[in-house]
Amino acid sequence: MKISLLTGALLLSTAVLAQAQQAGKPEDTEVYEPVPKVVTASPNLATPPSDALVLFDGKDLSQWVMADDRNAPAKWKVSGGMFTVDKTTGNIETKKAFTNYQLHLEWRIPANISGTGQARGNSGVFLASLGKGDLGYELQIVDSYQNKTYVNGMAGSIYKQRVPLANPARKPGEWQSYDVVWMAPTFKADGSVQTPARVTVFFNGVLVQNNVELAGPTRYIGPPSYEGQKAGPAPIKLQAHGDKSEPDSFRNIWVREL
Ligand code: MG
């Protein structure tokens, strides 16, 4: 009895040892390089982290140009730490172009907003501007607080392509936020898609687009496709929508290239 217990214990410890040897040492799976760069975090997302490029700090539109004439400075009106869409001048976009990035942006539908459906505080963030007009990938801005429209055209949607997972819209007059991770599409040498664009969006801190794949840039009519698209960095564009409702405002915009 004594002997068989001892034998058993020996066999067991041998088995444990063999297993440990097979799995290696804990250190084998510890990674030390490359060391991630140090970024000084901010107390909240309205304040950019230390490595962000500030696209609007409340003072001026020096980081922006007119989308239809990139030589012209952005003409939207800056006042009180925010800027407001000027529908008579057209879309504005960033001077700089970006490929993959993290973006924070705050927007506000005016408290006195009028109109219905899509014609109620409509603007938008083109995550990659593809030129003049509304060419690009539009993250929709529109009043979605008790304002009915098609669900793939509400706030938090990738316009006419991806319905948001939830509707965390605040009332007109209240500031709202988008936090976006944009991964640009890549293309093969023959122009076909290698990896489609992917986007993640938090709307007022609520996840509304979860790393979704896009089928191409936004189209007002017809299904999206990548036909004729090119790779490379693109500006971020804000929409001066042609509806008759009161114009939206923006503040606290920053971007981190990935
Ligand atoms: Mg829009």
Side-chain angles (χ1 to χ4, degrees), residues 118 122-124 138 140-141 159 239 241:
Q118 289 288 310
N122 196 329
S123 180
E138 187 184 8
Q140 176 67 311
I141 290 176
Y159 187 72
Q239 187 183 39
H241 191 267

Side-chain angles (χ1 to χ4, degrees), residues 98-99 101 125-131 135-138 182 184-185 217 232-237:
F98 308 95
T99 304
Y101 61 81
V125 187
F126 288 88
L127 299 169
S129 171
L130 297 172
L135 295 176
Y137 302 78
E138 187 184 8
W182 172 254
I236 297 166
K237 181 166 64 186

Side-chain angles (χ1 to χ4, degrees), residues 138-195:
E138 187 184 8
L139 169 58
Q140 176 67 311
I141 290 176
V142 69
D143 178 27
S144 288
Y145 182 82
Q146 299 176 356
N147 174 43
K148 211 165 180 183
T149 185
Y150 40 94
V151 295
N152 61 352
M154 63 194 287
S157 71
I158 304 302
Y159 187 72
K160 285 197 170 171
Q161 193 166 166
R162 289 289 185 176
V163 177
L165 297 169
N167 179 9
R170 297 188 176 123
K171 284 181 190 172
E174 294 182 20
W175 283 99
Q176 319 211 48
S177 62
Y178 280 154
D179 288 279
V180 181
V181 179
W182 172 254
M183 299 299 287
T186 60
F187 299 91
K188 294 176 193 162
D190 67 1
S192 62
V193 179
Q194 179 140 32
T195 55

Side-chain angles (χ1 to χ4, degrees), residues 70-94:
R70 288 186 50 84
N71 294 317
K75 292 171 188 147
W76 294 5
K77 195 182 167 221
V78 179
S79 175
M82 67 181 101
F83 65 88
T84 300
V85 179
D86 181 346
K87 298 189 190 195
T88 65
T89 63
N91 298 342
I92 68 168
E93 66 185 24
T94 54

Side-chain angles (χ1 to χ4, degrees), residues 238-249:
L238 301 178
Q239 187 183 39
H241 191 267
D243 72 78
K244 299 277 190 287
S245 67
E246 296 69 20
D248 298 340
S249 298

